[in-house]
């Protein structure tokens, strides 16, 4: 991953020269603390954003890059034991990644994926979502875990719309603009430590909701967001939606697509 491209994808490209001047590359990102970033002249808000993004990007695991300084601030009960949660799940995939991989040099394709994932991570975290998994050309995010909000469904849709717009604006070595397909579903799940030591880091979810989101993604056109009926009921009239009718996928029923503000 190119650290300059990573910073630009986060909207923090103004710090690229500071990283280069101080020989900060991706191999030392996991070791950065807020104190280190302060020495680089980075203001408090952007220091917080960088620490969040480092944790989200590392190895596809949001918890993998917790620095020693940040780790002290995370309470031991931040991620709860297995419990029932009303969870909204967002799945976001890059459109045409297979064709891009065949056409682009592997290094260039890696830069495309880095920029895509950085944009997804930045926006998901901005809406207090939880990045559960990076899937090569896609992400899986939870809203309502570990922190729950009354408006988690709305937060998820707004994050999805921002991601679709941000990815379309990304400047990469791909000749054509990038686009995403995003699906969202809400439901009751069991999430947390489901299998003893070490399983918590996987943030396992048991329930139909992730599978429903994955199936609904097949209904999404490039650059659009599809939501399940379970999410639609929580949105009220905050968005303009078009009913896509009944999905024939294993009995899952209705979906709607946001088409306006």
């Amino acid at each position: 991953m190119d650290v300059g491209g990573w910073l630009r994808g986060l909207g923090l490209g103004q710090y690229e020269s500071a990283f280069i001047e101080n020989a900060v590359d991706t191999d030392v990102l996991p070791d950065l603390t807020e104190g280190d970033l302060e020495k680089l002249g980075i203001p408090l808000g952007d220091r917080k954003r960088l620490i969040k993004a480092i944790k989200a990007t590392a190895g596809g695991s949001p918890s993998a890059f917790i620095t020693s300084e940040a780790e002290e601030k995370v309470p031991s009960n931040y991620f709860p034991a297995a419990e029932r949660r009303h969870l909204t799940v967002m799945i976001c995939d890059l459109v045409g990644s297979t064709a891009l991989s065949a056409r682009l040099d592997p290094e260039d394709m890696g830069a495309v994926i880095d920029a895509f994932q950085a944009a997804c991570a930045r926006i998901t975290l901005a809406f207090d979502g939880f990045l559960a998994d990076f899937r090569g050309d896609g992400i899986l995010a939870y809203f309502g875990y570990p922190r729950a909000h009354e408006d988690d469904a709305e937060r998820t849709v707004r994050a999805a719309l921002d991601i679709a717009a941000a990815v379309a604006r990304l400047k990469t070595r791909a000749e054509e603009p990038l686009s995403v397909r995003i699906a969202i579903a809400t439901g009751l799940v069991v999430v947390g430590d489901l299998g003893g030591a070490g399983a918590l880091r996987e943030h396992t979810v048991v329930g139909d909701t992730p599978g429903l989101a994955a199936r609904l993604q097949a209904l999404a056109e490039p650059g659009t967001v599809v939501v399940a009926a379970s999410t639609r009921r929580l949105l009220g009239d905050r968005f303009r939606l078009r009913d896509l009718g009944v999905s024939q996928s294993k009995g899952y029923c209705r979906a709607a697509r946001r088409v306006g503000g």
Side-chain angles (χ1 to χ4, degrees):
M1 179 178 67
D2 169 60
V3 72
W6 178 76
L7 287 167
R8 291 190 295 273
L10 292 170
L12 300 172
Q14 67 268 36
Y15 304 121
E16 182 177 357
S17 60
F19 273 55
I20 292 172
E21 289 170 7
N22 289 273
V24 177
D25 211 335
T26 53
D27 61 325
V28 298
L29 280 180
D31 301 317
L32 291 180
T33 65
E34 280 199 51
D36 295 329
L37 296 174
E38 186 175 12
K39 292 176 183 176
L40 296 180
I42 298 174
L44 176 61
D46 285 346
R47 293 201 301 270
K48 296 290 188 183
R49 293 181 184 98
L50 282 165
I51 290 296
K52 282 186 178 181
I54 288 169
K55 291 190 291 183
T57 303
S61 169
S63 60
F65 274 4
I66 298 180
T67 65
S68 58
E69 180 176 319
E71 198 166 30
E72 293 173 359
K73 299 177 183 178
V74 178
S76 59
N77 63 347
Y78 179 76
F79 293 110
E83 60 178 302
R84 293 164 69 88
R85 284 287 185 106
H86 201 247
L87 193 70
T88 299
V89 174
M90 177 178 73
I91 295 179
C92 176
D93 279 342
L94 184 64
V95 175
S97 59
T98 301
L100 280 175
S101 296
R103 182 166 57 81
L104 294 179
D105 178 85
E107 186 174 340
D108 291 343
M109 186 63 195
V112 169
I113 295 296
D114 287 344
F116 160 70
Q117 291 186 341
C120 291
R122 172 175 56 84
I123 293 168
T124 298
L125 294 171
F127 284 91
D128 211 15
F130 176 74
L131 287 157
D133 191 17
F134 285 97
R135 301 177 170 186
D137 61 352
I139 67 160
L140 170 67
Y142 303 151
F143 290 78
Y145 173 87
R147 299 189 192 92
H149 311 83
E150 290 184 1
D151 60 345
D152 275 318
E154 179 182 351
R155 285 171 181 259
T156 312
V157 174
R158 295 197 182 280
L161 294 171
D162 283 0
I163 286 172
V167 170
R169 293 193 301 266
L170 286 176
K171 302 298 184 183
T172 69
R173 296 181 185 180
E175 294 177 359
E176 67 276 11
L178 302 178
S179 64
V180 292
R181 290 187 177 92
I182 302 177
I184 298 169
T186 303
L188 188 64
V189 302
V190 175
V191 59
D193 187 353
L194 300 171
L200 179 57
R201 286 189 175 274
E202 299 176 4
H203 314 291
T204 307
V205 168
V206 174
D208 291 337
T209 307
L212 172 56
R215 291 178 175 89
L216 288 179
Q217 197 172 42
L219 300 176
E221 299 172 6
T224 67
V225 179
V226 171
V227 301
S230 54
T231 305
R232 169 68 183 90
R233 287 191 290 270
L234 301 172
L235 297 177
D237 59 357
R238 296 179 182 87
F239 305 92
R240 290 201 300 270
L241 301 160
R242 179 164 66 86
D243 192 344
L244 299 182
V246 177
S247 169
Q248 299 302 315
S249 181
K250 293 195 175 180
Y252 291 123
C253 52
R254 301 184 71 81
R257 184 175 55 146
R258 188 271 190 188
V259 294

